Amino acid sequence: MLIGLVAAVAVLGGGGWATQQAVTVAQGPAGQKLWIALGAMAAVGLVVGLVVAGRVSPLATFLPSMALLAWTVVYALDMNRALSFVPDEPSMHQIVREAGAGARLLLTSGVLALLGVALFVPVLMPSRWQRRQDDYDGEDYEESPQEKSYY
């Protein structure tokens, strides 16, 4: 479950911040900020890729996928309510506001829906719900007659 929370924060926070930085840099001269934004996007992509492709609990992809898809459904049903979840208060830290603005862009462009579906697909794989072969080794152990106690 913790891996799913990290993936959700990476997509919403890191992806949102990187998107906002890339959009801001696109309006002016490219420089170090663009490379930092692209590096952050690559890191978010790495986290999402490891969660999707790795042999971890199905909850690791289910939790962020449901958060992203639920926010997209709320956006489709009531745009103002969905956009009210974006942190944009002046009292918030600058980085949080930038991440919120980027998450707003990802939401309105449909990228969060795309990522939500991509994160949900591994949940449908039956191999994700099976235990690994390593977990079966302990069940084949039988007690020897000397180890049995008859109390």
Side-chain angles (χ1 to χ4, degrees), residues 3 9 17 24 30 37 42 57-58 62 71 73 88 91-92 96-98 112 117 122 126 140 144:
I3 295 171
V9 168
W17 179 84
T24 305
S57 170
F62 184 70
W71 198 13
V73 168
D88 59 356
S91 62
M92 296 211 159
V96 175
R97 286 195 317 263
E98 290 174 358
L112 291 185
V117 171
D140 294 335
S144 65

Side-chain angles (χ1 to χ4, degrees), residues 15-73:
W17 179 84
T19 301
Q20 180 64 25
Q21 292 298 312
V23 167
T24 305
V25 170
Q27 297 169 354
Q32 183 180 7
K33 278 184 141 182
L34 177 64
W35 288 107
I36 293 171
L38 292 175
M41 286 181 194
V44 170
L46 179 67
V47 168
V48 170
L50 288 174
V51 170
V52 168
R55 286 273 301 168
V56 293
S57 170
L59 287 177
T61 58
F62 184 70
L63 291 175
S65 71
M66 286 297 105
L68 298 177
L69 290 173
W71 198 13
T72 303
V73 168

Side-chain angles (χ1 to χ4, degrees), residues 4 12 15 17 27 37 49-50 52 61 63 67 71 73 76 83 85 87 95 104 117 124 130 133 141 146 148:
L12 292 173
W17 179 84
Q27 297 169 354
L50 288 174
V52 168
T61 58
L63 291 175
W71 198 13
V73 168
L83 293 177
F85 297 142
I95 294 175
R104 175 186 310 227
V117 171
L124 302 175
Q130 295 175 352
Q133 191 63 23
Y141 175 74
Q146 293 90 7
K148 290 184 180 178

Side-chain angles (χ1 to χ4, degrees), residues 72-142:
T72 303
V73 168
V74 170
Y75 178 73
L77 296 175
D78 188 0
M79 185 183 308
N80 293 330
R81 181 175 298 252
L83 293 177
S84 71
F85 297 142
V86 176
D88 59 356
E89 295 293 321
S91 62
M92 296 211 159
H93 195 274
Q94 175 75 21
I95 294 175
V96 175
R97 286 195 317 263
E98 290 174 358
R104 175 186 310 227
L105 179 64
L106 293 174
L107 175 67
T108 58
S109 64
V111 174
L112 291 185
L114 178 125
L115 285 172
V117 171
L119 286 167
F120 186 72
V121 168
V123 174
L124 302 175
M125 304 296 173
S127 62
R128 286 282 182 125
W129 296 94
Q130 295 175 352
R131 292 191 338 195
R132 291 186 217 154
Q133 191 63 23
D134 300 347
D135 295 342
Y136 290 123
D137 293 341
E139 295 177 8
D140 294 335
Y141 175 74
E142 293 182 18

